[in-house]
């Protein structure tokens, strides 16, 4: 979508895995997402500070990614949300 950037989840893959009842695929996907966020939250075990710059919308995984940083800089017009709750999913 123009003007929207997100490191959020791959909803197409997520829905295909659910429809296929691919439990192993869902588990692998969940572990990959959690690992990325965890590595960011510990600054990849390096002596660095992680910074998220939010311009526009930070939704779902994009917000979770920003929250895993040490610092968030957001424009006044930035918006934040967790649309997973609309699907009865618990945000990461």
């Amino acid at each position: 979508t123009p003007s929207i950037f997100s490191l959020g989840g791959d909803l197409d893959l997520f829905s295909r895995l659910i429809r296929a009842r691919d439990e192993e695929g869902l588990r692998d996907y969940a572990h990959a997402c959690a690992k990325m966020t965890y590595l960011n939250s510990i600054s990849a075990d390096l002596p660095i500070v992680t910074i998220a710059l939010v311009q526009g919308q930070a939704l779902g995984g994009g917000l979770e990614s920003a929250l895993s940083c040490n610092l968030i800089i957001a424009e006044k017009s930035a918006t934040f949300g967790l649309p997973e709750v609309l699907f009865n999913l618990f945000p990461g």
Side-chain angles (χ1 to χ4, degrees):
T1 303
S3 78
I4 297 176
F5 171 79
S6 174
L7 292 173
D10 184 341
L11 293 180
D12 183 54
L13 172 64
F14 190 57
S15 61
R16 277 188 283 132
L17 292 171
I18 290 171
R19 281 193 292 276
R21 298 182 185 273
D22 185 350
E23 185 177 332
E24 184 177 344
L26 283 166
R27 189 179 307 109
D28 290 346
Y29 179 68
H31 288 175
C33 293
K35 181 178 180 182
M36 182 277 305
T37 303
Y38 172 73
L39 286 173
N40 196 43
S41 71
I42 64 165
S43 302
D45 230 2
L46 298 169
I48 59 174
V49 174
T50 56
I51 301 171
L53 172 61
V54 179
Q55 299 172 304
Q57 297 178 329
L59 301 173
L63 174 55
E64 293 168 17
S65 178
L67 289 171
S68 70
C69 291
N70 299 110
L71 179 67
I72 298 175
I73 299 171
E75 290 185 339
K76 284 184 179 184
S77 61
T79 57
F80 302 85
L82 297 167
E84 298 94 323
V85 298
L86 298 174
F87 305 105
N88 293 323
L89 296 172
F90 189 77

